Amino acid sequence: MVKTINRHSPKITTLADGTDALLHMTDLVGEEDGPLIGISASIHGNENCGSQAILDLYRRLKDMRLRGTIRLLPVVNARAMVVNARFSPIDQRDLNREFPGDPAGTFSQQLAAALTREFLGKIDMHIDLHSGTDRPTVDYVYLLNDEGLSRAFGSKILYRPDDTKQGTKFSGTTKDVTVERGVPAAVIELGGGIVDQGPYIERIVEGVLNMLRHAGAIDEEATPPPAQIVVNEIAGIRPTKGGWIEPLSPPLGDELAPHQPLFRVVSPYNFEVLEEAKSPFERGIMIMGHLTRNIVEAGDYGWMVGNLDGATS
Ligand SMILES: [Zn+2]
């Protein structure tokens, strides 16, 4: 049993309907002193696998002996989650490009500022849960500033972003606050798609529990990670035309033949093949894709392929 469970819901701002926008956090306070570990999900409102995993983590963790405190923030972007959208409908901004935020800015900028003040600026370790949406499915973990923590999740593929190549493309994410503070941070990308999410949610729960063992919050030996592949380059391949999408790719984590076909887009109206997309690499590995036939819009999120040239273990 944890020592105490504390709930607190700091206010972000007042909304036009008169209600308060709040951050709902639950602290599981362990019997022994230790670090404050923050676990968050649904920064992007249409990626709710992590939020569901945090519910299951709460059910498991509340009966465990813990060292330190685990702060659960299951739904960061509630306004976006309830309409299953990536961005808040109030200002349509990408919250995960707005950190550290602006208390005098738009709603998402204020939300980012509240997160920095109430969560990211206080915790000693951060685990942020992202996923695919109700369309593509994704499976990898970012390697940021704590390799052991990220590896302990147990995913096959890890991604070490090459900051010299990415430039400022991903500035304004949570790591602008956590890594800047020297706080160990891990970003998980797992789940999504029009398939049963149960197995992905279970993998997130087991992976995060193992990270907590690795961090010493749970007094059990961490399971060593499986054989892992670290890629430094990921190509995102979106359908450039709308229509029926027909997946041609192998399962996530599988290696791809040189320029292997990934998907085709077919017109629902005259049945023509509008587009066929291939892996851009000689040696690629599947990181994200649609697992089922579906309708897509031009430019929707599609596939991600890792480059195995230059990859390490
Ligand atoms: Zn996300």
Side-chain angles (χ1 to χ4, degrees):
M1 287 290 288
V2 297
K3 193 165 78 178
T4 51
I5 296 176
N6 299 325
R7 296 214 162 82
H8 43 122
S9 303
K11 181 175 170 176
I12 305 159
T13 185
T14 304
L15 297 168
D17 63 7
T19 59
D20 289 342
L22 305 171
L23 287 174
H24 295 287
M25 298 190 278
T26 298
D27 284 358
L28 300 167
V29 183
E31 298 198 326
E32 288 176 66
D33 287 343
L36 175 61
I37 300 178
I39 305 175
S40 56
S42 288
I43 276 189
H44 294 130
N46 56 354
E47 303 174 1
N48 72 31
C49 289
S51 299
Q52 297 192 59
I54 288 177
L55 165 65
D56 290 1
L57 277 166
Y58 169 77
R59 290 169 172 161
R60 297 274 292 273
L61 290 168
K62 70 180 173 54
D63 296 322
M64 286 184 175
R65 280 185 67 87
L66 300 176
R67 192 173 74 82
T69 296
I70 297 175
R71 177 165 292 177
L72 303 174
L73 174 47
V75 182
V76 171
N77 204 340
R79 292 268 140 182
M81 187 189 75
V82 294
V83 293
N84 191 30
R86 182 173 174 85
F87 308 141
S88 161
I90 297 176
D91 64 0
Q92 297 290 347
R93 279 177 182 265
D94 189 336
L95 174 61
N96 209 27
R97 302 292 182 271
E98 295 291 350
F99 291 98
D102 178 359
T106 71
F107 177 75
S108 294
Q109 291 167 336
Q110 291 187 43
L111 173 52
L115 279 160
T116 299
R117 186 178 68 241
E118 304 289 347
F119 184 73
L120 298 172
K122 291 183 174 169
I123 54 181
D124 303 310
M125 177 175 282
H126 186 212
I127 300 171
D128 195 25
L129 303 173
H130 292 248
S131 66
T133 63
D134 58 9
R135 297 304 171 89
T137 307
V138 71
D139 190 347
Y140 72 105
V141 171
Y142 280 87
L143 275 188
L144 300 172
N145 61 350
D146 189 327
E147 190 155 329
L149 178 69
S150 289
R151 285 183 184 273
F153 184 77
S155 67
K156 176 178 174 180
I157 302 171
L158 298 125
Y159 172 45
R160 186 184 285 118
D162 183 344
D163 288 335
T164 59
K165 272 190 191 164
Q166 297 288 347
T168 56
K169 195 173 160 193
F170 289 119
S171 73
T173 68
T174 52
K175 74 181 167 68
D176 283 18
V177 180
T178 51
V179 173
E180 184 70 24
R181 289 181 60 228
V183 169
V187 175
I188 314 296
E189 297 272 1
L190 180 60
I194 305 179
V195 293
D196 178 17
Q197 295 300 298
Y200 295 118
I201 292 165
E202 183 61 21
R203 269 186 59 199
I204 297 169
V205 170
E206 292 302 328
V208 171
L209 287 174
N210 205 52
M211 294 168 98
L212 295 175
R213 289 183 199 108
H214 171 87
I218 300 172
D219 190 19
E220 293 169 7
E221 198 71 35
T223 306
Q228 294 179 314
I229 298 167
V230 181
V231 298
N232 302 306
E233 182 182 9
I234 293 179
I237 304 108
R238 296 169 185 256
T240 65
K241 299 182 172 70
W244 299 126
I245 196 144
E246 297 184 343
L248 304 170
S249 53
L252 302 184
D254 275 21
E255 237 181 271
L256 294 158
H259 310 293
Q260 184 173 335
L262 299 175
F263 62 87
R264 68 167 75 94
V265 179
V266 182
S267 166
Y269 310 104
N270 63 15
F271 322 123
E272 272 179 43
V273 174
L274 302 175
E275 174 174 33
E276 186 168 307
K278 295 178 165 61
S279 168
F281 301 126
E282 290 296 317
R283 293 175 61 230
I285 189 162
M286 284 289 299
I287 290 179
M288 182 174 88
H290 292 238
L291 303 186
T292 58
R293 290 167 60 156
N294 207 336
I295 188 80
V296 287
E297 189 49 277
D300 275 353
Y301 269 99
W303 269 247
M304 284 168 66
V305 175
N307 190 356
L308 286 176
D309 280 335
T312 54
S313 58

